[in-house]
Amino acid sequence: MKATRTIKNAATYTGLILLAVFLMAPFVWMLFVSLHESKSPIPSMNVWTQRGTFGFLGREYAWVLPEVVPNVWHWDNYRFVLFMPDIPVFRFFLNSVFVTLVVVTGQLLVSSLAAYAFARLEFKGRDPIFVLFLLSMMFAGPVTQIPVYLIVRSFGWLNTYAALIVPGLSSAFNVFLFRQFFASIPKELEEAARIDGAGDLRIYWRVMLPLSKAALATAGAFSFFAVWTDFFWPLLATNSMEMRTLEVGLSVFRNSYGATNWPLQMTAAVIVMAPLLIAFLFTQRYFTRGVMIGSIK
Amino acid sequence: MRRRHGVGYWFIAPATLHLVLFALVPIVYALYLSLFKWDILKDDKPFVAFANYLTTFQDKFFWNAMWNSTRYTLVSVPVGMAVALLVALLVHQKIRGVTLFRTLYYIPAISSGVAVAMLWTYVYLPEQGLINATLKLFGHPGDLNFLNESAWAMWALVFMSVWTGLGPRMVLFLAGLVAIPNSLYEAADLDGSTRWRTFWKITLPMLVPTTFFVLVTSTISAFQIFTPVYMMTKGEPDRTTDVVGYHIYSEAWEKFHVGLASAKSFVLLVAILGVAYFQYRAMRDQLREYDAS
Amino acid sequence: MRTLVRLVILSTLIGLCGCAEIVGDGRTVLRIASWGGAGADDEFAKIEREILDEFERQNPDIDLRMEYIPGSQEYVRKMLLNTIAKAEPDLCLLDASSAAVFIENDVLMDLAPLIAKDPEFRLDDYWPNVVDIARRGEKLYAIPKDFTPMVMYFNKRLFDEKSVPYPKEGWTFEEFLTTARRLTDPAKGQYGFKFANWMPGWIMWFWNNGGDVLSPDGARATGTLDRAENAETLAFLKRMIKEEKVAPDLSQTASMGVDLFTNGQAAMEINGHWAMVGYRSAPKDAQGRPKLAMEDVGVVSLPTNVGKSVTVMYEAGWAIGRHCRHPEAAWRFVKYMTGPTVQERYARSGLAISARKDVANELAKDSREATFVAIVPSARPPWGAKVGAYNPVEAIGQNMMNSVLTGSKTIDQALKDAASEIDEEFGKQ
């Protein structure tokens, strides 16, 4: 019995590790290439170069590494990209942080409020309105960009934070997600609160939301990454350098360096991704544990 | 269960106001545009009634794009979901270090669009690319030009979507798995049910709402896939990756025929609606069963 | 929940700091759209910054707000959208390749009245065929800043190593191919030629074989694109890459990830004057010597089968938006940017040839620059300067080239399909 469990665990871990290697390999490569000398060719993975020798049992051995591991680590690539004379990368970063935090918070509140009503309250037109939310998700983006742009313009919001924030404050996807989640919460829990005289707002805030940490974390993470990496809307809605977000600001790199400077391209890519990664690593505990807390026994 | 009417309206007011302003009005406006020969800057924007729709139906490149989106969706969604469910089951086990793996598996999904495009352009490079270099280790010549050959390009995009889509889908399935009451499993254990049987009789049925959610949203976003195509293939080679989202984009923004692009968006909308309805019909019974339980 | 509340407060604080910086200070604000903003060479970006600062020093009443838009596709799209919303910048850089879209759609202000009123400004100072790109009858929509013909660059060191004579004006396609063949050395990973697979970089091959993409009036492609001359051109290019292998094919180019010419791995390439900026910062070899030395860079006109070599002229000029609120201030900026002082600084940076005859001729004392200046009269404007609907043509043309090079279509089929697609596209206008 114990032996089979050990074998099974070993198999599970092997699977988990292989999958992790498969998923992580491109990132590791990206990091390595970003540290190669600017303008150097794409380093090969199959060419092994000698990096030095070591003595072992009285004999000299050479040790080799694939060419992809840089010989000299060019951290100056990062300095070069971060402090380009006419790209205020740090400003881009602050813009991205501010916009993303406000949009995510707004989206979670607005969407979950509506979702609560769709899941639990009864009112005339509830289902048709919900269907409207669903339908809006199915409409292809490129065309509504023009009307949305004109609407934002008519409010005089172009090139302001309002233009970057307000159109993202609610998301039909999240309304859908929260509704599905709220629907799976047993009604007994809120019935108890209702008997204690709690109103809907109180039930929403004190019962539903605390029970929905998993959904909040999930939806929050989804929106965080969606907003952080949005490219077209910030490009359209802002004009000046000071209002650009990181994704738009650094996309310049793809255009300037094309396919001929992989090291700097990858440096830029790492710079855009690093904050995402850090934000994720800080929230992931809440995120993965949140799933657990959300379980209703 | 009776509730006071009216409260609900207050709850949905902010979201609905937002929906009206940033989704419904633009859609209605787009519908209006679709009836005009509306080129971005031309002062003359004549009313053409349904001519744009007629053009759409006769446009062989539009149908080519619809077909591309269909085959992209038909492969990427089931494969992506199956892989995600499998991984979710794997990391749902109570074993040491499992949260570390959950974290790692999510990382591909948090990469920015520009960075991912740069990265995967490399992964698919002939000779030096990650895949070809790996193939070379096994004696393959490693000369597959994934993004430039008609036979490969679409599947390269599908493969990439499975990679980037794994995290979110896994988390959704995981949330679904966690929500299944332990008592059900305990009861099954008492009945002496095999793991396989438990999976089919308890896990899957309890995952129906999650599966439905993942299926519908994945299908919709698969049908609208745009960024990877825009960044990596531009619909090439030979229009084999010219998916409908990109096709509509280029109609509006490269050729500036906004009226025609709007008409195409509505045809796409009807198609997506049809598919979503079909999915709903197919899963309706299971969803009902779940609601009843 | 508390975390959420804290985040909101934090965000609002950051937001307040951000907003405070955007308030103006009473000076006339000129919004200026330009592409780039992150040149491959930070030396060049520095010069540009200095030039703009100098303008603000000389004109204390004006506040310049640069709006850099990444990517040429995004530039056109964003500018058009700005225009329908009447939110376009006061000034913009006009690219010859997309000039027609802007001019035909009335985005720009006619500069002729401003020129007439200004005794200091003399249009004769500029190359006439460059000025004409943005001219429509009496109206003029941009003052040229700089321009470049596309030329053939060659690496003299690689020619000397193989004892191949330098190419001469008036060489034919076959002479070019023979030269490239002798310079190709698979053992060293060296190619005779680097083929730039983008339409603005290869359309001249068509012209130099007596063909073209559109009919002379720019109205249709059928009857022009599908002619035998063009089939010959495509067959030649395909043979060069696929059979003779004197130029790397698409996947080989991609898999190297470096610029072959600046890396000393290709002996020739077709490019504009801007390429010199990159040549100056060519990567270095193990001994610290540049892989492409500036003194080794030679320039010659493109090979031709029709006697007289033709090339394309890419140009950028300063234009004022039609709804500009401060035309006088904007005009001061245009004059400054296209005037002799600024032009000389730009020209010395090597990005392009000054559109001013005085500055260009001064620099042409250098023999390489002289070759460029000699090529100018044979350069014609790109189709995008004349045809407003040219944008989709480039996408269709590129599709055509790719399907020929990958062999997924026969040459005749590819030409015929592309021609009918372009006409269908024009028909929708």
Side-chain angles (χ1 to χ4, degrees):
Chain A
M1 189 72 187
K2 201 171 169 203
T4 48
R5 165 160 293 170
T6 315
I7 292 170
K8 237 185 65 198
N9 273 352
T12 308
Y13 279 117
T14 314
L16 287 171
I17 290 168
L18 280 180
L19 189 61
V21 168
F22 167 71
L23 292 170
M24 290 300 113
F27 294 110
V28 175
W29 181 85
M30 174 168 96
L31 199 64
F32 277 140
V33 173
S34 77
L35 293 168
H36 275 263
E37 189 181 359
S38 169
K39 292 186 183 162
S40 55
I42 300 178
S44 170
M45 299 210 313
N46 297 339
V47 176
W48 297 68
T49 53
Q50 187 182 329
R51 300 299 167 90
T53 54
F54 62 93
F56 182 66
L57 296 176
R59 290 179 67 175
E60 280 290 282
Y61 291 92
W63 57 283
V64 291
L65 282 174
E67 197 181 274
V68 72
V69 181
N71 215 348
V72 182
W73 299 61
H74 285 268
W75 292 104
D76 48 322
N77 287 347
Y78 285 84
R79 198 179 45 87
F80 178 78
V81 173
L82 277 171
F83 299 103
M84 301 231 13
D86 48 348
I87 309 188
V89 175
F90 188 65
R91 175 70 193 225
F92 296 163
F93 172 76
L94 283 186
N95 286 341
S96 283
V97 170
F98 172 62
V99 169
T100 309
L101 286 182
V102 177
V103 170
V104 170
T105 317
Q107 237 183 51
L108 290 184
L109 281 176
V110 171
S111 307
S112 63
L113 262 178
Y116 173 74
F118 286 128
R120 283 296 200 261
L121 302 179
E122 276 173 33
F123 50 93
K124 254 203 210 96
R126 183 183 75 173
D127 293 342
I129 296 174
F130 184 64
V131 169
L132 276 184
F133 275 86
L134 292 188
L135 288 185
S136 75
M137 277 196 311
M138 300 178 191
F139 198 77
V143 172
T144 48
Q145 276 174 356
I146 296 170
V148 170
Y149 179 85
L150 294 176
I151 288 168
V152 167
R153 149 95 194 146
S154 72
F155 293 152
W157 286 350
L158 285 186
N159 209 28
T160 65
Y161 285 111
L164 291 175
I165 290 169
V166 180
L169 276 184
S170 168
S171 134
F173 177 87
N174 282 344
V175 172
F176 187 23
L177 184 122
F178 282 124
R179 198 200 87 115
Q180 294 296 101
F181 194 87
F182 290 160
S184 74
I185 294 176
K187 294 206 172 92
E188 295 77 34
L189 289 168
E190 56 177 295
E191 285 309 311
R194 206 170 288 283
I195 289 164
D196 291 345
D200 284 307
L201 198 59
R202 211 180 147 74
I203 289 174
Y204 157 78
W205 190 256
R206 294 279 158 167
V207 180
M208 298 304 255
L209 282 193
L211 281 173
S212 310
K213 280 188 182 149
L216 284 172
T218 313
F222 287 1
S223 349
F224 184 94
F225 303 128
V227 178
W228 185 273
T229 61
D230 193 9
F231 173 71
F232 284 103
W233 178 247
L235 178 68
L236 293 181
T238 64
N239 293 318
S240 62
M241 258 332 203
E242 299 87 66
M243 294 303 298
R244 293 290 197 213
T245 55
L246 202 56
E247 183 92 355
V248 179
L250 285 179
S251 71
V252 186
F253 261 84
R254 228 172 107 78
N255 292 299
S256 303
Y257 291 91
T260 56
N261 199 338
W262 281 86
L264 281 194
Q265 263 207 69
M266 288 300 128
T267 308
V270 172
I271 290 173
V272 185
M273 280 192 51
L276 282 171
L277 209 65
I278 292 167
F280 175 68
L281 290 180
F282 270 105
T283 50
Q284 62 83 21
R285 209 157 33 111
Y286 178 69
F287 189 69
T288 40
R289 204 185 42 181
V291 174
M292 293 301 179
I293 294 169
S295 67
I296 300 130
K297 300 278 152 68
Chain B
M1 218 166 296
R2 314 237 83 200
R3 295 273 183 284
R4 277 161 299 129
H5 288 241
V7 183
Y9 295 117
W10 286 109
F11 273 81
I12 64 164
T16 309
L17 183 67
H18 184 275
L19 180 81
V20 169
L21 213 51
F22 294 107
L24 298 185
V25 168
I27 291 173
V28 171
Y29 188 66
L31 187 64
Y32 167 81
L33 290 183
S34 77
L35 303 176
F36 291 79
K37 191 181 165 92
W38 205 93
D39 279 16
I40 288 193
L41 291 161
K42 299 250 163 66
D43 285 332
D44 183 31
K45 295 181 165 75
F47 177 75
V48 293
F50 297 105
N52 286 328
Y53 289 91
L54 205 64
T55 313
T56 302
F57 285 116
Q58 289 165 347
D59 184 346
K60 62 175 191 280
F61 296 128
F62 175 74
W63 293 111
N64 171 58
M66 286 292 268
W67 164 237
N68 283 332
S69 288
T70 309
R71 64 198 183 108
Y72 174 83
T73 309
L74 280 179
V75 180
S76 75
V77 173
V79 173
M81 283 176 66
V83 171
L85 178 58
L86 210 72
V87 175
L89 287 169
L90 211 57
V91 296
H92 182 48
Q93 303 176 73
K94 289 194 179 67
I95 53 173
R96 246 169 201 283
V98 77
T99 40
L100 172 73
F101 288 104
R102 284 183 200 170
T103 310
L104 285 179
Y105 295 168
Y106 201 89
I107 288 177
I110 60 169
S111 333
S112 86
V114 177
V116 163
M118 288 176 180
L119 202 50
W120 280 79
T121 307
Y122 155 72
V123 171
Y124 287 136
L125 276 186
E127 310 287 337
Q128 303 286 351
L130 195 56
I131 295 179
N132 277 305
T134 313
L135 285 176
K136 274 184 179 172
L137 291 178
F138 297 98
H140 186 278
D143 54 355
L144 299 175
N145 196 353
F146 294 104
L147 292 177
N148 276 316
E149 279 186 38
S150 312
W152 285 108
M154 177 61 92
W155 313 122
L157 291 176
V158 167
F159 187 71
M160 184 177 135
S161 85
V162 173
W163 185 82
T164 50
L166 174 65
R169 289 180 185 139
M170 173 194 77
V171 164
L172 286 170
F173 276 124
L174 208 52
L177 285 172
V178 167
I180 300 175
N182 263 338
S183 54
L184 287 178
Y185 287 118
E186 283 155 13
D189 265 356
L190 285 179
D191 291 350
S193 169
T194 62
R195 281 178 63 104
W196 188 241
R197 212 182 127 76
T198 312
F199 174 74
W200 283 104
K201 291 288 164 189
I202 296 174
T203 313
L204 267 192
M206 290 304 285
L207 281 180
V208 163
T210 313
T211 311
F212 178 66
F213 179 80
V214 177
L215 178 69
V216 172
T217 53
S218 297
T219 306
I220 292 170
S221 59
F223 248 98
Q224 297 181 351
I225 179 196
F226 169 74
T227 314
V229 176
Y230 174 79
M231 297 271 186
M232 293 170 68
T233 66
K234 303 262 176 206
E236 284 284 280
D238 286 324
R239 295 179 192 271
T240 47
T241 62
D242 185 22
V243 292
V244 72
Y246 183 74
H247 177 85
I248 291 174
Y249 160 83
S250 73
E251 192 72 70
W253 291 111
E254 269 166 22
K255 304 169 183 171
F256 309 125
H257 306 312
V258 179
L260 182 56
S262 303
K264 287 179 173 176
S265 302
F266 279 96
V267 177
L268 172 65
L269 176 68
V270 170
I272 292 179
L273 275 181
V275 173
Y277 180 70
F278 175 76
Q279 289 171 339
Y280 171 70
R281 281 291 296 266
M283 295 188 77
R284 190 169 52 181
D285 295 339
Q286 284 91 329
L287 280 169
R288 270 220 200 97
E289 234 166 66
Y290 178 86
D291 276 348
S293 69
Chain C
M1 274 314 97
R2 211 170 293 148
T3 325
L4 277 185
V5 173
R6 236 182 273 148
L7 286 182
V8 174
I9 295 170
L10 181 73
S11 310
T12 317
L13 285 177
I14 298 174
L16 288 177
C17 310
C19 291
E21 284 176 32
I22 304 172
V23 181
D25 53 7
R27 289 184 291 168
T28 301
V29 173
L30 282 184
R31 291 174 49 213
I32 301 164
S34 156
W35 52 81
D41 194 50
D42 59 348
E43 189 62 23
F44 182 75
K46 214 176 88 199
I47 294 174
E48 173 138 313
R49 190 67 251 166
E50 282 169 14
I51 289 174
L52 296 175
D53 287 347
E54 177 59 29
F55 179 80
E56 286 187 328
R57 246 194 316 279
Q58 290 175 14
N59 300 272
D61 57 324
I62 296 176
D63 179 5
L64 299 180
R65 298 279 172 88
M66 296 307 288
E67 299 180 356
Y68 295 108
I69 301 167
S72 58
Q73 204 34 258
E74 280 85 2
Y75 189 77
V76 175
R77 179 173 64 156
K78 173 101 204 200
M79 289 296 293
L80 295 185
L81 198 55
N82 275 334
T83 307
I84 47 170
K86 300 198 170 41
E88 76 267 34
D90 301 292
L91 286 135
C92 69
L93 210 48
L94 185 70
D95 179 357
S97 307
S98 54
V101 186
F102 292 96
I103 296 173
E104 279 177 19
N105 293 301
D106 241 359
V107 176
L108 309 173
M109 184 181 280
D110 174 18
L111 303 181
L114 289 166
I115 296 171
K117 271 194 302 197
D118 191 334
E120 288 172 29
F121 186 84
R122 295 202 351 257
L123 205 52
D124 302 343
D125 289 341
Y126 303 81
W127 301 93
N129 56 340
V130 181
V131 172
D132 286 348
I133 289 176
R135 191 195 287 283
R136 294 292 185 275
E138 290 297 300
K139 294 182 171 169
L140 184 64
Y141 293 97
I143 305 297
K145 166 179 170 275
D146 51 35
F147 69 99
T148 172
M150 294 293 273
V151 299
M152 180 74 77
Y153 285 102
F154 59 95
N155 185 339
K156 292 179 183 166
R157 180 173 61 86
L158 300 185
F159 274 69
D160 295 344
E161 277 171 16
K162 301 269 173 200
S163 320
V164 180
Y166 300 155
K168 290 205 182 58
E169 171 77 39
W171 55 333
T172 64
F173 283 19
E174 281 311 317
E175 281 162 3
F176 161 78
L177 192 59
T178 316
T179 312
R181 211 182 283 130
R182 292 174 61 187
L183 290 157
T184 304
D185 188 344
K188 289 165 72 184
Q190 180 180 315
Y191 292 93
F193 180 60
K194 182 193 119 188
F195 178 68
N197 189 27
W198 58 308
M199 192 164 173
W202 54 249
I203 187 170
M204 304 81 73
W205 288 99
F206 280 52
W207 298 350
N208 279 312
N209 198 37
D212 206 336
V213 175
L214 302 178
S215 58
D217 58 355
R220 48 192 276 116
T222 312
T224 308
L225 181 58
D226 47 6
R227 295 244 299 266
E229 297 93 299
N230 294 333
E232 267 173 45
T233 310
L234 284 179
F236 172 81
L237 294 173
K238 187 174 177 180
R239 179 158 65 96
M240 170 179 88
I241 294 169
K242 284 292 174 190
E243 288 165 35
E244 307 266 354
K245 298 187 195 297
V246 300
D249 68 20
L250 310 185
S251 63
Q252 286 164 328
T253 311
S255 68
M256 299 201 229
V258 283
D259 186 83
L260 287 174
F261 189 75
T262 44
N263 218 32
Q265 281 179 280
M268 298 182 277
E269 77 159 341
I270 292 177
N271 216 329
H273 199 285
W274 63 72
M276 301 262 220
V277 177
Y279 296 167
R280 283 201 193 139
S281 54
K284 306 220 171 13
D285 62 14
Q287 284 81 45
R289 284 181 311 233
K291 291 183 180 170
L292 174 69
M294 278 317 278
E295 61 271 20
D296 287 336
V297 176
V299 171
V300 67
S301 57
L302 304 181
T304 179
N305 286 343
V306 290
K308 182 81 193 104
S309 174
V310 214
T311 191
V312 64
M313 171 159 45
Y314 293 122
E315 178 255 2
W318 283 108
I320 301 179
R322 188 162 58 115
H323 303 113
C324 176
R325 281 140 304 195
H326 319 287
E328 184 275 330
W331 177 243
R332 253 194 282 161
F333 180 77
V334 172
K335 270 203 320 188
Y336 170 80
M337 292 301 279
T338 59
T341 326
V342 169
Q343 282 295 305
E344 210 192 310
R345 290 210 64 183
Y346 267 124
R348 290 206 182 280
S349 75
L351 187 69
I353 303 175
S354 170
R356 292 183 68 92
K357 287 184 280 189
D358 46 0
V359 175
N361 284 329
E362 175 64 28
L363 284 170
K365 285 171 185 160
D366 168 80
S367 79
R368 188 168 47 224
E369 292 298 319
T371 326
F372 264 101
V373 172
I375 294 172
V376 171
S378 72
R380 51 181 265 195
W383 275 117
K386 291 190 250 174
V387 179
Y390 189 66
N391 208 8
V393 176
E394 289 207 331
I396 296 168
Q398 195 55 57
N399 275 358
M400 172 188 79
M401 181 60 84
N402 291 344
S403 51
V404 167
L405 291 183
T406 57
S408 67
K409 274 186 193 172
T410 65
I411 289 172
D412 289 329
Q413 193 61 43
L415 285 168
K416 226 177 91 211
D417 288 356
S420 68
E421 251 183 80
I422 291 170
D423 288 348
E424 204 175 300
E425 209 43 66
F426 285 175
K428 285 196 220 153
Q429 296 299 313

